Amino acid sequence: MATTGVMRPGHIQLRVLDIGESVHFYKNVLGLVETGRDPQGRVYLKAWDERDHNSVVLREADSAGMDYIGFKVRDRATLEKLDADLRAYGVGTERIPAGELLETGERVRFSLPTGHVMELYADKTDVGNGQPYTNPDPWTPQAEQGIAPVRFDHCLLYGPDLEGNLKLLTEVLGFSLVERVLMEDGKSDLAIFVSCSHKAHDLAFVRHPEPGKLHHLSFLLQSWEQVLRAADLMSMNKVSIDIGPTRHGITRGTTIYAFDPSGNRFETFSGGYDFYPDHQPLTWTFEEVGTGIFYHDRKLNERFLSVVT
Amino acid sequence: MATTGVMRPGHIQLRVLDIGESVHFYKNVLGLVETGRDPQGRVYLKAWDERDHNSVVLREADSAGMDYIGFKVRDRATLEKLDADLRAYGVGTERIPAGELLETGERVRFSLPTGHVMELYADKTDVGNGQPYTNPDPWTPQAEQGIAPVRFDHCLLYGPDLEGNLKLLTEVLGFSLVERVLMEDGKSDLAIFVSCSHKAHDLAFVRHPEPGKLHHLSFLLQSWEQVLRAADLMSMNKVSIDIGPTRHGITRGTTIYAFDPSGNRFETFSGGYDFYPDHQPLTWTFEEVGTGIFYHDRKLNERFLSVVT
Amino acid sequence: MATTGVMRPGHIQLRVLDIGESVHFYKNVLGLVETGRDPQGRVYLKAWDERDHNSVVLREADSAGMDYIGFKVRDRATLEKLDADLRAYGVGTERIPAGELLETGERVRFSLPTGHVMELYADKTDVGNGQPYTNPDPWTPQAEQGIAPVRFDHCLLYGPDLEGNLKLLTEVLGFSLVERVLMEDGKSDLAIFVSCSHKAHDLAFVRHPEPGKLHHLSFLLQSWEQVLRAADLMSMNKVSIDIGPTRHGITRGTTIYAFDPSGNRFETFSGGYDFYPDHQPLTWTFEEVGTGIFYHDRKLNERFLSVVT
Amino acid sequence: MATTGVMRPGHIQLRVLDIGESVHFYKNVLGLVETGRDPQGRVYLKAWDERDHNSVVLREADSAGMDYIGFKVRDRATLEKLDADLRAYGVGTERIPAGELLETGERVRFSLPTGHVMELYADKTDVGNGQPYTNPDPWTPQAEQGIAPVRFDHCLLYGPDLEGNLKLLTEVLGFSLVERVLMEDGKSDLAIFVSCSHKAHDLAFVRHPEPGKLHHLSFLLQSWEQVLRAADLMSMNKVSIDIGPTRHGITRGTTIYAFDPSGNRFETFSGGYDFYPDHQPLTWTFEEVGTGIFYHDRKLNERFLSVVT
């Protein structure tokens, strides 16, 4: 099989400070589609072009941040195998029963060395993208409400043990290292970008003393013109923009970073190259990290390095 | 491993009527980079952003068309396994020694039920995309010569036994069915689009009485604006345009079809959605095939169905 | 004064076969804004970014076509002067009283040598573009309903006496010849493109035996990506597309031609160059008229030359 | 006549610190075309799509800045009339003989109340845009060298007496006020944007204690994608970027500000709306000036207000 194992980031559970304000933001400004609410009060959303029932789950809490990120695997046999592989590798796993998240099958939950909670699952109900499976249109006017990304794409996470993450993700879960940023020592990694697919990154990590932090979750747009439209909609809606529109040197994507009403940073981006696992990784030296992150400004802003949730 | 088995279309050997005229066209108009010539007189080219040594190999011959299409597999162990799997399935395979194509390892060659020659290989020399592996720019002005696609992307092939192809490609080689077009009977396939990756198609086939025919080989551009630029460059260079710029309903890509100097149809396209193997296939009914192929014209032109090489 | 005399095409009165169907089309598919209806049953519309009360006036009639096109002039003194100039030139003019068209001042009406009715007027109520005149946003989500052009831009009209039109428009009304297409004789004009502004055309004429015919009215979009979106929306709404997306050689615009429900051809286009009256005109020879009209197809289709209303 | 009087900014003479370095920058990075050098050592350049012989004239000097900006007027009679009008208004004018600038006719030079030197002229040799006047292509690959704007478009100038400029430009030279930014007092202007054409600005002024300063000269690109390409080329060439890519609220243009090797700020921008002189001006309150200038950041950076040459 050509695509096996871990397929893609399928859901993220986000902590938000005010569920009503957040739902308004994620639906009407970002343009996700609400697909359900559960008895715990969690609100389920998906990007219009995603077929599975949910990708962003909002949970009201006292502090912002990410509860966990879940990756969809190829099938249930893969789920069982990867659970066994994780345990064999020495990672403790926990089973979350099917249905704990709406329309989502059993999940295998574990912690990454950086302190982030990651999940694997094989089943989530296909609710379609609003178009029939026969003779579909490429999009519909309903797909243009708000910023309207096509999918939840990846996360950048901050935490201390990048070496542990890289080893676990590549040796057990089949990820590949795509790009890396070196520290001043020219050896250890300040940041790593890893892929379980043909995307230039499905996950990325930056070294940071505090574990388990979220730098940003990212949503895919279809063109640089859609990135401009997103920036315009952010200004119309008084969304706090961190930086952009600009381009990343790393992954080549064109991007905006901004903050949701709880202070969670999110990205709306477009483009970037396709990765294949026979590609040798790209390396960014410490001196060029600014250009790597923000190709036009060629320097980091302080917020990029310090503001996380 | 998340990406295993067959990875991508890696090379195509094309028959052209006049090697000099063709090299001029593929280099200066299409904007591929020449990477070598061999003692047989074959000319090797690659798209600027491809890292492997070659993707388009031109061979002078009395008739236009495709000699074979080669897919790169994950590694040599995969190559051996897939060769064994093919033989176990009943497909005769042939070994082409390393070096028969420049900078390319041993190939496993076989015929598809539609009469097309397909190859698998694990090794082709990484010559890079003209940028360093450390602190690369996203592109360089050298990447803007001619139409300058980022990669050879896929082929659409014409032949009789689509059922045989679909079975072989999905059961032995790990491809998935992404979209299909039904015939008048509402059951059998007029066309199938299959993927071994996250692309909406790595190969496609249309039912046709004569085996082994090439409808088009396709090159990826990075935006709809680049599609316009490609069309402009075609007109400046008096390239025969078949249709476009327009959009496909199938795969959603934006596209131009045109002909190389030998009459081989090629496509320069952009966009389309990402496929994952848990996606159920899309189906186009016979009545809507025009809209599926050319979303704006909503009808096929006669050339699309009859002109192949 | 730097901009004087005739400023721009300000309104067109179109004959449509079914007013209800047409209003639906112009509002919901093309995305104009309805601004009023009058006791005669005429329906008034404007593009979202136009500030004046109306630009497209629909009148139900037994045959499709254009009743007249009106140009806004700089002020009332200009209107009086141009009326006098027209009469001095030998053109009979008629005064249409203020208010005959909603929110529109007195009009000076006359016939062009090609048999088209043209009007001049100085006043039309500024109703704004939906944004305040203080601290406006560049656009609003309300501006994205339907194809949503920014303005009614120009017309291409068919009729016999191009020489008479060119003389009248340039000598009396201050237009400039921007581009011309020559006939087989290499001397007389098959088509002329004239401007009263910095646009590459405010009006264009093609030689045709029957006077007073409409080839198309045209609406301006803001990018080539919006041209694609327009084509997609046309297909979603089963609008009959004549040709496109493509580029014109003449004026360089990127374009789609399509038909309204009554068979009136309209264009949605983007781009093209800015004209200044010190520019010498561009000439297209008869042999290259196909490339001039459709830069990618490089030939005319029969519809372009024969279907008018 | 529909376009009369002052037509457009036609040339700017810039002071640069090192002529060799500057010529390299303006030719190879910005992508202007060199059209001549004169005995004084001045270097003449034009944007590829401009037809007149020169638009940017570089003069080596000890300090950066603008010597003067020249506007082309409709014809020689207009030049004489405007000279007389200026003198009648009380503005001293000086005649610069034809040929003092290469391929440029006699110029009428005077000072604006803000201390900037402005010129009017009627003649500059038409050297074409590299395409024939018969059957031209819309662009050619030669037009893609460097950032390659289509024209020198406008300047933003800093100086004290905005009221004087506005009165002179509108009452004598036929400009219109398009947009204005108010100061804290809600009455006087912090900035004014004026047009002699259909452009949203041909000139702009910001109130500043020191007279005669240049904030930026601006070059027009053809799309937002070209703005991204410009930013990428700036980074590849280590050009100091001030801000962008982003959008202006004022004029709606999409933009990058950057610095030439001498510290002269320049802009490469795309888009914006078309102005007509019957449009009432837009007003920006002091509180929203940040959004007006940089629509996404919604605040000014210190450099914007203080760094001028």
Side-chain angles (χ1 to χ4, degrees):
Chain A
M1 299 290 286
T3 300
T4 56
V6 179
M7 291 198 298
R8 66 174 175 270
H11 62 238
I12 182 170
Q13 183 164 307
L14 271 187
R15 293 188 304 274
V16 295
L17 304 182
D18 181 303
I19 192 76
E21 180 184 40
S22 295
V23 168
H24 168 74
F25 172 79
Y26 281 94
K27 285 175 62 173
N28 299 326
V29 179
L30 186 55
L32 302 185
V33 179
E34 182 181 334
T35 53
R37 300 194 178 206
D38 70 16
Q40 294 180 40
R42 293 182 297 188
V43 179
Y44 295 68
L45 304 119
K46 65 183 278 293
W48 72 267
D49 201 27
E50 292 175 320
R51 303 186 185 188
D52 283 354
H53 178 271
N54 58 76
S55 58
V56 174
V57 180
L58 303 179
R59 179 174 74 85
E60 192 170 82
D62 291 338
S63 66
M66 179 186 87
D67 281 338
Y68 50 78
I69 181 169
F71 280 72
K72 195 172 191 184
V73 303
R74 187 65 189 88
D75 52 27
R76 289 185 199 177
T78 302
L79 186 67
E80 294 305 324
K81 177 176 187 310
L82 290 172
D83 188 3
D85 291 348
L86 283 165
R87 282 181 278 116
Y89 184 81
V91 174
T93 64
E94 177 189 6
R95 294 286 179 131
I96 313 296
E100 196 277 335
L101 276 180
L102 291 184
E103 304 292 339
T104 305
E106 191 180 27
R107 291 128 67 198
V108 171
R109 179 181 289 177
F110 58 98
S111 290
L112 291 170
T114 48
H116 299 92
V117 178
M118 184 165 164
E119 299 182 340
L120 305 177
Y121 66 94
D123 298 295
K124 199 179 289 271
T125 306
D126 175 357
V127 297
N129 70 351
Q131 284 285 80
Y133 281 94
T134 300
N135 304 331
D137 286 311
W139 55 276
T140 66
Q142 287 69 41
E144 288 186 312
Q145 305 307 309
I147 292 171
V150 288
R151 71 172 176 227
F152 164 55
D153 190 87
H154 67 270
C155 281
L156 172 57
L157 305 173
Y158 272 42
D161 184 5
L162 264 59
E163 291 75 12
N165 273 20
L166 184 59
K167 187 172 162 62
L168 171 59
L169 289 164
T170 57
E171 295 186 7
V172 184
L173 296 177
F175 284 69
S176 297
L177 178 65
V178 180
E179 304 204 26
R180 75 188 335 150
V181 180
L182 298 180
M183 297 189 73
E184 294 96 324
D185 64 10
K187 294 179 194 161
S188 47
D189 290 324
L190 175 62
I192 54 173
F193 299 79
V194 295
S195 176
C196 62
S197 68
H198 296 201
K199 291 155 59 181
H201 50 347
D202 285 299
L203 273 178
F205 299 92
V206 168
R207 193 180 301 273
H208 185 72
E210 194 180 3
K213 305 306 284 183
L214 171 67
H215 183 272
H216 71 263
L217 71 162
S218 184
F219 296 93
L220 181 65
L221 301 174
Q222 295 187 100
S223 70
W224 170 238
E225 189 161 312
Q226 291 291 305
V227 173
L228 174 63
R229 180 179 174 275
D232 287 346
L233 285 168
M234 290 178 193
S235 279
M236 287 176 203
N237 288 284
K238 311 298 180 203
V239 174
S240 175
I241 294 179
D242 186 6
I243 192 166
T246 189
R247 183 196 282 280
H248 293 305
I250 298 167
T251 76
R252 300 186 195 167
T254 58
T255 182
I256 312 165
Y257 287 151
F259 295 99
D260 83 358
S262 305
N264 292 304
R265 191 188 281 97
F266 69 97
E267 178 183 42
T268 53
F269 85 108
S270 176
Y273 61 85
D274 283 349
F275 170 79
Y276 283 89
D278 60 325
H279 286 179
Q280 57 174 292
L282 301 180
T283 301
W284 295 82
T285 60
F286 187 76
E287 295 70 27
E288 293 295 326
V289 59
T291 300
I293 302 291
F294 300 126
Y295 185 64
H296 301 146
D297 282 8
R298 285 164 269 157
K299 62 178 186 297
L300 294 182
N301 64 30
E302 177 55 26
R303 275 193 307 271
F304 183 87
L305 289 172
S306 60
V307 177
V308 290
T309 56
Chain B
M1 298 290 285
T3 299
T4 57
V6 180
M7 291 198 298
R8 65 174 175 271
H11 61 237
I12 182 169
Q13 183 166 306
L14 271 187
R15 294 189 303 274
V16 295
L17 303 183
D18 181 303
I19 193 74
E21 178 184 41
S22 296
V23 169
H24 168 75
F25 172 79
Y26 280 95
K27 285 175 65 172
N28 299 327
V29 180
L30 187 56
L32 302 185
V33 180
E34 182 179 335
T35 54
R37 300 194 180 208
D38 69 17
Q40 293 182 40
R42 291 181 299 186
V43 180
Y44 294 68
L45 305 118
K46 65 182 277 293
W48 72 267
D49 201 26
E50 291 175 319
R51 303 186 185 188
D52 284 353
H53 178 271
N54 58 75
S55 57
V56 174
V57 180
L58 303 179
R59 179 173 75 85
E60 192 170 83
D62 291 337
S63 65
M66 179 186 89
D67 281 339
Y68 49 79
I69 180 168
F71 280 73
K72 195 173 191 185
V73 304
R74 186 67 188 88
D75 52 26
R76 289 184 198 179
T78 302
L79 186 67
E80 295 303 325
K81 179 178 186 308
L82 290 172
D83 188 2
D85 291 348
L86 284 165
R87 281 181 278 114
Y89 184 80
V91 174
T93 65
E94 177 188 6
R95 294 284 178 133
I96 312 297
E100 195 278 335
L101 276 181
L102 292 184
E103 305 293 337
T104 305
E106 190 180 28
R107 290 129 68 200
V108 170
R109 180 181 290 179
F110 57 98
S111 289
L112 289 172
T114 46
H116 299 91
V117 178
M118 183 166 165
E119 300 182 339
L120 305 178
Y121 67 95
D123 298 295
K124 198 180 288 271
T125 306
D126 176 357
V127 297
N129 69 351
Q131 285 284 83
Y133 281 95
T134 300
N135 304 331
D137 287 311
W139 55 277
T140 65
Q142 288 69 39
E144 288 186 312
Q145 305 309 309
I147 292 172
V150 288
R151 71 171 177 230
F152 164 54
D153 190 87
H154 67 269
C155 282
L156 172 57
L157 305 173
Y158 273 41
D161 184 6
L162 265 59
E163 291 75 12
N165 272 23
L166 184 59
K167 186 171 163 64
L168 170 60
L169 288 165
T170 57
E171 294 186 8
V172 183
L173 296 176
F175 283 69
S176 297
L177 178 65
V178 180
E179 304 204 26
R180 74 187 337 149
V181 180
L182 298 179
M183 298 188 73
E184 293 97 323
D185 64 11
K187 293 179 194 162
S188 46
D189 289 324
L190 173 62
I192 55 174
F193 300 78
V194 295
S195 175
C196 62
S197 68
H198 295 202
K199 290 155 59 182
H201 49 346
D202 284 299
L203 273 177
F205 299 93
V206 167
R207 191 180 301 273
H208 186 73
E210 195 180 2
K213 305 307 284 183
L214 170 67
H215 183 271
H216 71 263
L217 71 161
S218 183
F219 297 93
L220 181 66
L221 301 174
Q222 295 187 99
S223 70
W224 171 237
E225 190 161 312
Q226 292 292 305
V227 174
L228 173 63
R229 181 180 175 275
D232 288 346
L233 285 168
M234 289 177 193
S235 279
M236 287 175 204
N237 288 283
K238 311 297 180 206
V239 174
S240 174
I241 294 180
D242 185 8
I243 192 168
T246 188
R247 182 196 282 282
H248 293 306
I250 298 166
T251 77
R252 300 186 194 168
T254 57
T255 183
I256 312 167
Y257 287 149
F259 295 99
D260 82 358
S262 305
N264 292 304
R265 191 189 281 98
F266 69 97
E267 179 184 41
T268 54
F269 85 108
S270 176
Y273 60 86
D274 283 350
F275 170 78
Y276 283 90
D278 60 324
H279 285 178
Q280 53 173 295
L282 300 180
T283 300
W284 295 83
T285 59
F286 187 76
E287 294 71 26
E288 294 296 323
V289 59
T291 301
I293 301 292
F294 300 127
Y295 185 65
H296 300 145
D297 282 9
R298 283 163 270 156
K299 60 179 186 297
L300 294 183
N301 62 29
E302 177 56 24
R303 275 192 306 272
F304 184 87
L305 289 172
S306 59
V307 177
V308 291
T309 55
Chain C
M1 298 288 285
T3 300
T4 56
V6 179
M7 291 197 299
R8 64 174 176 272
H11 62 237
I12 183 170
Q13 183 165 307
L14 271 187
R15 294 189 302 275
V16 297
L17 303 182
D18 179 307
I19 192 76
E21 180 184 39
S22 296
V23 169
H24 168 74
F25 171 78
Y26 280 94
K27 286 175 64 173
N28 300 327
V29 179
L30 186 55
L32 302 185
V33 179
E34 182 181 334
T35 54
R37 302 197 177 203
D38 69 18
Q40 293 181 40
R42 293 181 298 188
V43 180
Y44 295 69
L45 304 119
K46 66 183 276 295
W48 72 268
D49 201 26
E50 292 175 318
R51 301 188 186 187
D52 284 352
H53 178 271
N54 58 75
S55 58
V56 174
V57 180
L58 303 179
R59 180 174 74 84
E60 192 170 83
D62 290 337
S63 64
M66 179 185 87
D67 281 337
Y68 50 79
I69 181 168
F71 280 73
K72 196 174 191 184
V73 302
R74 187 65 187 87
D75 51 28
R76 289 185 198 178
T78 302
L79 186 67
E80 294 305 323
K81 178 176 187 310
L82 291 172
D83 189 2
D85 291 348
L86 284 165
R87 281 180 279 117
Y89 185 80
V91 174
T93 66
E94 176 189 4
R95 294 284 178 133
I96 312 297
E100 196 277 336
L101 276 181
L102 291 184
E103 305 291 338
T104 304
E106 191 180 24
R107 292 129 66 199
V108 170
R109 180 181 291 177
F110 57 99
S111 289
L112 289 172
T114 46
H116 300 90
V117 179
M118 183 165 166
E119 298 181 339
L120 305 177
Y121 67 94
D123 298 294
K124 200 180 286 272
T125 306
D126 176 357
V127 297
N129 69 350
Q131 285 284 81
Y133 281 94
T134 300
N135 303 331
D137 287 311
W139 56 277
T140 65
Q142 287 70 40
E144 288 186 312
Q145 305 307 311
I147 291 172
V150 288
R151 72 171 176 230
F152 164 54
D153 191 86
H154 67 269
C155 282
L156 173 56
L157 305 174
Y158 272 42
D161 184 6
L162 264 59
E163 291 75 13
N165 272 23
L166 183 59
K167 186 170 163 62
L168 171 60
L169 289 165
T170 56
E171 296 186 7
V172 184
L173 296 176
F175 284 69
S176 298
L177 178 65
V178 181
E179 304 204 26
R180 73 188 335 149
V181 180
L182 299 179
M183 297 189 72
E184 293 97 325
D185 64 12
K187 294 180 194 160
S188 47
D189 290 324
L190 174 62
I192 55 173
F193 300 78
V194 294
S195 176
C196 61
S197 68
H198 296 200
K199 290 154 62 181
H201 50 350
D202 284 299
L203 272 177
F205 299 92
V206 168
R207 192 181 300 272
H208 185 72
E210 194 180 2
K213 304 308 284 182
L214 171 67
H215 183 273
H216 71 264
L217 71 161
S218 183
F219 297 92
L220 181 66
L221 301 174
Q222 295 187 99
S223 70
W224 171 238
E225 188 161 313
Q226 291 291 305
V227 173
L228 173 63
R229 181 180 175 274
D232 288 346
L233 284 169
M234 289 178 195
S235 279
M236 287 176 202
N237 288 285
K238 311 296 181 205
V239 174
S240 173
I241 294 179
D242 185 8
I243 192 167
T246 188
R247 183 196 282 279
H248 292 305
I250 299 168
T251 77
R252 301 187 192 167
T254 57
T255 182
I256 313 166
Y257 287 150
F259 294 98
D260 83 358
S262 306
N264 292 304
R265 191 190 280 98
F266 69 97
E267 179 183 40
T268 54
F269 85 107
S270 176
Y273 61 86
D274 284 348
F275 169 79
Y276 283 89
D278 61 323
H279 286 178
Q280 54 173 292
L282 301 180
T283 300
W284 295 82
T285 59
F286 188 76
E287 295 69 29
E288 293 297 323
V289 58
T291 301
I293 302 292
F294 300 127
Y295 186 65
H296 301 144
D297 281 9
R298 283 165 270 156
K299 62 178 184 298
L300 294 182
N301 62 29
E302 176 56 24
R303 273 194 308 272
F304 183 86
L305 288 173
S306 59
V307 177
V308 290
T309 55
Chain D
M1 297 289 283
T3 300
T4 57
V6 180
M7 290 197 299
R8 65 174 175 270
H11 62 237
I12 182 170
Q13 184 165 307
L14 270 187
R15 294 189 302 274
V16 296
L17 304 183
D18 181 303
I19 192 75
E21 179 184 42
S22 296
V23 168
H24 168 75
F25 172 80
Y26 281 94
K27 284 175 64 174
N28 300 326
V29 180
L30 187 55
L32 302 185
V33 179
E34 182 180 334
T35 54
R37 301 194 179 207
D38 69 18
Q40 294 181 41
R42 292 181 298 187
V43 180
Y44 294 69
L45 305 119
K46 64 182 278 293
W48 72 267
D49 200 26
E50 292 175 319
R51 302 187 186 187
D52 283 353
H53 178 271
N54 59 77
S55 58
V56 174
V57 180
L58 303 179
R59 180 174 73 86
E60 191 170 82
D62 290 338
S63 65
M66 179 185 89
D67 283 337
Y68 49 79
I69 180 168
F71 280 73
K72 194 173 191 184
V73 303
R74 186 66 187 85
D75 51 27
R76 290 185 197 177
T78 301
L79 187 67
E80 294 305 325
K81 179 177 185 309
L82 290 172
D83 189 2
D85 291 347
L86 284 165
R87 283 182 278 117
Y89 185 80
V91 174
T93 64
E94 178 189 3
R95 293 285 178 132
I96 312 297
E100 196 277 336
L101 276 180
L102 292 185
E103 305 292 338
T104 305
E106 191 180 25
R107 290 128 69 200
V108 171
R109 181 182 288 178
F110 58 98
S111 290
L112 290 171
T114 47
H116 299 90
V117 178
M118 182 164 165
E119 299 181 339
L120 304 178
Y121 67 95
D123 297 295
K124 200 180 286 273
T125 306
D126 176 358
V127 296
N129 69 352
Q131 285 285 81
Y133 281 94
T134 300
N135 304 331
D137 286 312
W139 55 277
T140 66
Q142 288 68 39
E144 288 187 312
Q145 306 306 311
I147 292 172
V150 287
R151 71 170 176 229
F152 164 54
D153 190 86
H154 67 269
C155 281
L156 173 57
L157 305 173
Y158 272 40
D161 184 5
L162 265 59
E163 290 75 12
N165 272 22
L166 184 59
K167 187 171 162 62
L168 171 59
L169 289 164
T170 57
E171 296 186 7
V172 184
L173 296 176
F175 283 70
S176 297
L177 178 66
V178 180
E179 303 205 27
R180 73 188 335 148
V181 180
L182 298 179
M183 298 190 73
E184 293 97 324
D185 63 11
K187 292 178 195 160
S188 46
D189 289 325
L190 174 61
I192 56 173
F193 300 78
V194 294
S195 175
C196 62
S197 68
H198 295 200
K199 291 156 59 183
H201 51 346
D202 283 298
L203 272 178
F205 299 92
V206 167
R207 193 181 299 274
H208 185 72
E210 196 179 2
K213 305 307 284 183
L214 171 67
H215 184 272
H216 70 264
L217 71 162
S218 184
F219 297 93
L220 181 66
L221 301 174
Q222 296 188 99
S223 70
W224 170 238
E225 189 161 313
Q226 292 291 306
V227 173
L228 173 64
R229 180 179 175 278
D232 288 347
L233 285 168
M234 290 178 193
S235 279
M236 287 174 201
N237 288 285
K238 311 297 181 204
V239 174
S240 173
I241 293 180
D242 186 8
I243 191 167
T246 187
R247 182 196 282 281
H248 293 305
I250 297 167
T251 76
R252 300 187 193 167
T254 58
T255 183
I256 312 166
Y257 287 151
F259 295 99
D260 81 0
S262 305
N264 292 305
R265 189 189 282 100
F266 69 97
E267 179 183 40
T268 52
F269 85 107
S270 176
Y273 60 87
D274 283 349
F275 169 79
Y276 283 89
D278 61 323
H279 286 179
Q280 55 173 294
L282 300 180
T283 301
W284 295 82
T285 60
F286 187 76
E287 294 71 28
E288 294 296 325
V289 59
T291 301
I293 302 293
F294 300 127
Y295 186 65
H296 300 144
D297 282 10
R298 282 165 272 157
K299 61 177 186 298
L300 295 183
N301 63 29
E302 177 56 23
R303 273 194 307 272
F304 182 87
L305 289 172
S306 59
V307 177
V308 290
T309 55

